[in-house]
């Protein structure tokens, strides 16, 4: 077989070697395609120790896609002809050879080959040429993940080589809509621009101007700077870290994935005051792999531990050995079993989510905030209407003033959602109209809340109570749980969204959740409480708290809406 050996600066030798002999647990793979890493170029041009773990006198190349051509007699995890990606850290059985696994040779022997460890199967839908980019894409994806990207944030990637582009794609996948890639090559930047990214040629020294135009401005210890949350260095130039130190906003983050060989000075006092963070990223260490195995044991082991824990706990409690040494051992095993079971369930859910991402509509729902808000509004609108009609029907059947009041309240909240839906379907934004609808929803909310407050006070004051049939208690509880779940998700997940339509939707959902909580309490006390005085006091206390909070939100919507409308009109007058 032919094999490429790195022999030093601008010196590569192609040698004829025998095909490696296999042991019982080894696998022989034939390389199909290998891409050239930037560190391969670096060591070729500038010599050893300037790239990624590439030593003189070794086969090199590590970005490869291969095919299994032979297996040892004990190997049963793979099949001949299967396409695989050799993971550089473990492919040759030596972690120090991550950059010299032999990607530029015809064959590679994988000692003690294990699936999803040294070798990973490659899906048939991925072409050979694309598959040889798996290694740089895993590096770029990990760099993006190390930056802890959050939806709604902004990011800039320096260096639009394969890893830089991979990091940018991963950032968008993780929810960052605005990603700018910087480089000094117009040719590279034209490629990234065609991929839909913002671009900036930093050689013209207009980075700050371009970044402020794309991202807006924020504050730093040095004054006004671009509003960038995350910097990723995939180039290794000295000015990149310097730019982050001088022009990064407060609490911004920096991830270095480039091979930075030179020592850099960092002002730790500045880092402390500005609350910035710097992270490095490359490969997982061996001890992390051990921890991963402990956290993700085989499902067969989890099943066995579940059975052992269950029988052991029953035996301990029946034998009254609650505080013995054996009991504490069983408690630890049971806690570990429960923990890894929960982790496994979460992992299964995440895997299912990633598979769903392949669906066009689901992917759009998870990445397009406007579409997501539209779907959520439709869902809330539909559920609100159905529940309102449900309450109205039983209000008529039971001649209940309270059921009719609840139905009317939810129906009018549905009107607010309908107005938001009518606007959100428009593809062009009109900030003035958005804040007018935001303000109108506040006016609508305060009007119906005051009305319902007086009706509730009248009913409580006259000692009138609603009699809930059994199925209605379940319906009220389910509706309350649904609204609180949606409200909490909206508040936590989309707290950084400044869109007035989305904010109005969140407030209407939270108002619905609060009122449904009051309605659930009324139903529970009515069904299970016998003390009329207690029932009256609880309804007065909870009702006052709920209506007061809803009124506060209504007043905020009206005042904030008026303020933003005046600012918008004034800014337009000043421009004209």
């Amino acid at each position: 077989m032919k094999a490429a050996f790195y022999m030093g600066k601008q010196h590569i030798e192609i040698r004829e070697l025998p095909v490696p002999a296999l042991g019982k647990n080894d696998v022989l793979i034939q390389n199909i395609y290998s891409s050239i890493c930037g560190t391969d170029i670096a060591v070729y041009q500038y010599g050893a120790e300037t790239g990624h773990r590439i030593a003189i006198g070794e086969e090199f190349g590590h970005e490869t896609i291969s095919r299994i051509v032979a297996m040892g007699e004990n190997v049963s995890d793979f099949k001949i002809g299967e396409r695989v990606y050799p993971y550089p850290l473990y492919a040759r059985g030596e972690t120090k050879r991550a950059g010299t696994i032999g990607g530029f040779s015809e064959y590679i022997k994988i000692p003690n080959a294990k699936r999803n460890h040294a070798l990973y199967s490659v899906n048939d839908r991925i072409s050979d040429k694309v598959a040889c980019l798996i290694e740089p894409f895993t590096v770029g994806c990990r760099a993006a993940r190390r930056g802890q990207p959050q939806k709604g944030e902004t990011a800039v990637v320096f260096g639009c080589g394969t890893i830089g582009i991979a990091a940018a794609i991963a950032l968008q996948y993780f929810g960052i809509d605005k990603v700018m890639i910087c480089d000094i090559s117009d040719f590279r930047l034209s490629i990234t621009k065609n991929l839909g990214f913002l671009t900036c040629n930093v050689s013209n020294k207009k980075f700050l101007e371009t970044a402020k135009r794309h991202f807006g401005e924020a504050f730093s210890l040095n004054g006004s700077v671009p509003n960038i949350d995350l910097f990723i260095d995939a180039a290794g130039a000295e000015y990149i870290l310097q730019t982050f130190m001088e022009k990064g906003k407060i609490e911004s983050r920096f991830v270095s994935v480039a091979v930075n060989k030179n020592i850099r000075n960092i002002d730790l006092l500045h880092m402390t005051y500005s609350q910035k963070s710097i992270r490095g990223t490359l490969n997982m260490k061996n001890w992390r792999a051990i921890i991963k195995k402990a956290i993700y044991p085989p499902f067969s082991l989890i099943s066995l531990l579940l059975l052992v824990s269950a029988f052991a706990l029953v035996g301990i409690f029946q034998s009254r050995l609650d505080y013995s040494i054996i009991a504490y051992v069983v408690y630890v095993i049971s806690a570990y079993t429960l923990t890894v079971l929960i982790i496994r369930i979460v992992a299964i859910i995440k895997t299912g989510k990633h598979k769903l991402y392949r669906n066009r509509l689901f992917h759009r729902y998870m990445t397009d905030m406007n579409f997501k808000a539209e779907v959520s509004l439709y869902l809330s609108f539909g559920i609100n209407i159905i529940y309102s009609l449900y309450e109205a029907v039983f209000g008529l059947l039971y001649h209940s003033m309270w059921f009719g009041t609840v139905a009317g309240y939810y129906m009018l909240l549905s009107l607010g959602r309908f107005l938001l839906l009518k606007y959100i379907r428009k593809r062009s934004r009109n900030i003035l109209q958005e804040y007018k609808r935001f303000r109108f929803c506040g006016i609508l909310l305060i009007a119906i809340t005051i009305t319902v407050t007086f009706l509730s006070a009248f009913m409580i004051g006259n000692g009138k109570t609603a009699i809930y049939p059994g199925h209605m208690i379940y319906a009220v509880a389910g509706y309350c749980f649904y609204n609180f779940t949606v409200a909490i998700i909206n508040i936590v997940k989309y707290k950084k969204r400044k869109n007035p339509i989305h904010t109005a939707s969140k407030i209407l959902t939270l108002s619905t959740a609060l009122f449904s909580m009051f309605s659930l309490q009324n139903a529970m006390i009515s069904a299970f409480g016998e003390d009329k005085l207690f029932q009256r006091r609880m309804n007065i206390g909870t009702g006052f708290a709920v209506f007061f909070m809803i009124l506060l939100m209504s007043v905020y919507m009206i005042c904030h809406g008026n303020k933003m409308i005046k600012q918008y009109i004034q800014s337009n007058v000043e421009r004209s």
Side-chain angles (χ1 to χ4, degrees):
M1 73 173 207
K2 287 183 170 60
F5 281 78
Y6 173 72
M7 301 306 295
K9 184 178 179 180
Q10 298 183 7
H11 186 188
I12 296 172
E13 290 184 4
I14 304 297
R15 300 178 184 174
E16 193 71 38
L17 300 176
V19 175
L22 298 183
K24 293 182 179 181
N25 301 311
D26 303 337
V27 165
L28 183 68
I29 60 175
Q30 181 180 24
N31 295 326
I32 303 170
Y33 276 103
S34 289
S35 55
I36 301 173
C37 178
T39 55
D40 295 330
I41 296 173
V43 295
Y44 176 77
Q45 289 183 336
Y46 307 113
E49 303 303 323
T50 59
H52 173 60
R53 294 185 180 181
I54 299 176
I56 294 173
E58 290 185 337
E59 296 175 76
F60 74 126
H62 56 277
E63 298 180 2
T64 187
I65 171 70
S66 312
R67 181 179 290 108
I68 294 175
V69 293
M71 300 186 300
E73 61 184 64
N74 292 341
V75 179
S76 58
D77 283 354
F78 304 96
K79 58 184 179 181
I80 300 297
E82 181 179 357
R83 287 194 314 158
V84 289
Y85 154 64
Y87 180 43
L89 198 63
Y90 301 129
R92 297 298 290 262
E94 299 176 49
T95 56
K96 291 182 179 180
R97 292 196 60 179
T100 56
I101 68 170
F104 300 143
S105 301
E106 284 189 79
Y107 297 96
I108 304 173
K109 183 178 84 169
I110 310 296
N112 299 310
K114 294 180 182 178
R115 185 178 291 278
N116 298 332
H117 180 72
L119 295 175
Y120 288 78
S121 182
V122 178
N123 194 290
D124 292 336
R125 289 180 295 179
I126 303 175
S127 69
D128 291 336
K129 288 186 177 180
V130 172
C132 68
L133 298 175
I134 290 175
E135 195 276 340
F137 263 74
T138 58
V139 175
C141 183
R142 177 162 170 75
R145 193 186 294 275
R146 287 281 288 168
Q148 297 179 328
Q150 303 295 321
K151 288 185 178 180
E153 288 189 332
T154 58
V156 59
V157 178
F158 290 89
C160 57
T162 307
I163 290 175
I165 293 174
I169 292 171
L171 288 171
Q172 284 195 333
Y173 177 80
F174 293 140
I176 294 186
D177 298 323
K178 282 192 174 183
V179 180
M180 183 170 76
I181 304 183
C182 302
D183 207 289
I184 58 174
S185 167
D186 286 327
F187 172 71
R188 284 185 165 193
L189 289 170
S190 66
I191 295 173
T192 56
K193 193 170 185 178
N194 290 335
L195 293 174
F197 293 105
L198 304 171
T199 60
C200 176
N201 190 322
V202 291
S203 63
N204 60 22
K205 298 182 180 179
K206 291 185 178 180
F207 169 74
L208 291 179
E209 178 185 329
T210 306
K212 285 183 178 180
R213 185 171 70 250
H214 288 316
F215 301 126
E217 297 185 30
F219 295 104
S220 76
L221 298 182
N222 299 324
S224 176
V225 295
N227 184 25
I228 300 170
D229 297 289
L230 176 59
F231 293 70
I232 292 183
D233 176 11
E238 188 169 349
Y239 76 90
I240 298 172
L241 179 59
Q242 183 180 349
T243 300
F244 169 72
M245 295 298 295
E246 295 177 357
K247 305 301 179 184
K249 71 175 186 178
I250 292 172
E251 293 188 336
S252 56
R253 308 181 297 281
F254 181 93
V255 175
S256 174
V257 66
V259 180
N260 287 277
K261 298 298 291 185
N262 296 328
I263 296 173
R264 307 290 167 79
N265 293 320
I266 296 176
D267 185 347
L268 289 178
L269 186 61
H270 173 85
M271 293 287 294
T272 302
Y273 286 147
S274 61
Q275 303 175 63
K276 294 178 181 178
S277 61
I278 296 178
R279 292 188 170 199
T281 177
L282 187 61
N283 286 310
M284 299 291 282
K285 301 296 183 184
N286 290 337
W287 63 268
R288 291 190 178 181
I290 295 170
I291 292 175
K292 186 176 180 180
K293 287 182 179 180
I295 294 175
Y296 296 100
F299 192 76
S300 56
L301 179 60
I302 296 176
S303 302
L304 178 63
L305 287 174
L306 277 172
L307 288 172
V308 171
S309 299
F311 282 111
L313 286 170
V314 171
I316 285 169
F317 294 141
Q318 286 185 342
S319 305
R320 296 185 179 181
L321 298 172
D322 306 29
Y323 299 102
S324 64
I325 295 176
I326 296 174
Y328 286 115
V329 172
V330 171
Y331 297 155
V332 171
I333 294 173
S334 301
Y336 167 74
T337 305
L338 182 61
T339 302
V340 296
L341 179 63
I342 293 171
I343 292 172
R344 178 57 65 91
I345 291 171
V346 171
I348 292 170
I349 293 171
K350 284 185 177 180
T351 302
K353 184 179 177 181
H354 288 314
K355 288 182 179 179
L356 284 172
Y357 257 99
R358 296 172 187 169
N359 180 276
R360 183 177 59 84
L361 285 176
F362 183 81
H363 185 271
R364 185 185 174 194
Y365 175 79
M366 296 303 294
T367 56
D368 186 338
M369 289 297 104
N370 286 327
F371 180 68
K372 194 169 192 175
E374 186 177 342
V375 172
S376 298
L377 276 170
Y378 269 115
L379 183 62
S380 298
F381 177 73
I383 292 175
N384 239 39
I385 288 292
I386 292 170
Y387 188 76
S388 301
L389 293 174
Y390 175 80
E391 288 276 357
V393 168
F394 282 95
L396 292 172
L397 288 176
Y398 288 93
H399 304 287
S400 171
M401 179 181 176
W402 174 246
F403 292 166
T405 301
V406 172
Y409 186 81
Y410 289 136
M411 195 69 74
L412 289 171
L413 284 178
S414 299
L415 173 63
R417 286 189 171 87
F418 175 76
L419 292 173
L420 296 178
L421 270 173
K422 191 176 179 183
Y423 178 80
I424 207 169
R425 287 179 63 85
K426 297 180 180 179
R427 297 304 169 199
S428 58
R429 289 193 65 184
N430 185 320
I431 301 297
L432 182 61
Q433 289 301 319
E434 287 183 13
Y435 276 109
K436 283 185 177 180
R437 276 173 169 73
F438 180 82
R439 181 181 62 183
F440 179 78
C441 284
I443 295 170
L444 176 67
L445 190 58
I446 200 170
I448 60 177
T449 301
I450 290 173
T451 304
V452 171
T453 301
F454 279 113
L455 286 171
S456 300
F458 173 77
M459 289 180 62
I460 294 171
N462 286 277
K464 295 184 177 181
T465 57
I467 305 300
Y468 284 82
H471 62 86
M472 282 200 76
I473 295 176
Y474 291 115
V476 173
Y479 188 66
C480 179
F481 178 77
Y482 162 76
N483 279 296
F484 259 104
T485 302
V486 174
I488 291 169
I489 290 172
N490 287 342
I491 291 170
V492 174
K493 209 166 187 180
Y494 308 117
K495 61 183 177 182
K496 293 186 178 181
R497 302 287 296 183
K498 303 300 181 184
N499 188 309
I501 298 298
H502 295 171
T503 305
S505 173
K506 287 191 289 186
I507 291 175
L508 289 180
T509 303
L510 183 57
S511 301
T512 306
L514 290 170
F515 187 77
S516 63
M517 181 185 70
F518 174 59
S519 181
L520 176 62
Q521 177 196 280
N522 193 8
M524 296 293 288
I525 294 178
S526 174
F528 304 109
E530 298 179 357
D531 189 339
K532 298 296 182 182
L533 180 61
F534 172 76
Q535 181 178 352
R536 184 177 179 183
R537 286 175 177 173
M538 285 295 296
N539 284 337
I540 290 173
T542 306
F544 175 81
V546 165
F547 293 132
F548 180 72
M549 284 189 284
I550 296 175
L551 287 173
L552 280 180
M553 290 189 290
S554 307
V555 172
Y556 164 77
M557 293 178 77
I558 296 169
C559 295
H560 184 66
N562 280 331
K563 178 184 174 182
M564 298 308 295
I565 290 168
K566 288 179 182 177
Q567 285 183 5
Y568 184 83
I569 295 172
Q570 186 177 353
S571 64
N572 281 346
V573 170
E574 289 174 355
R575 286 176 189 170
S576 59

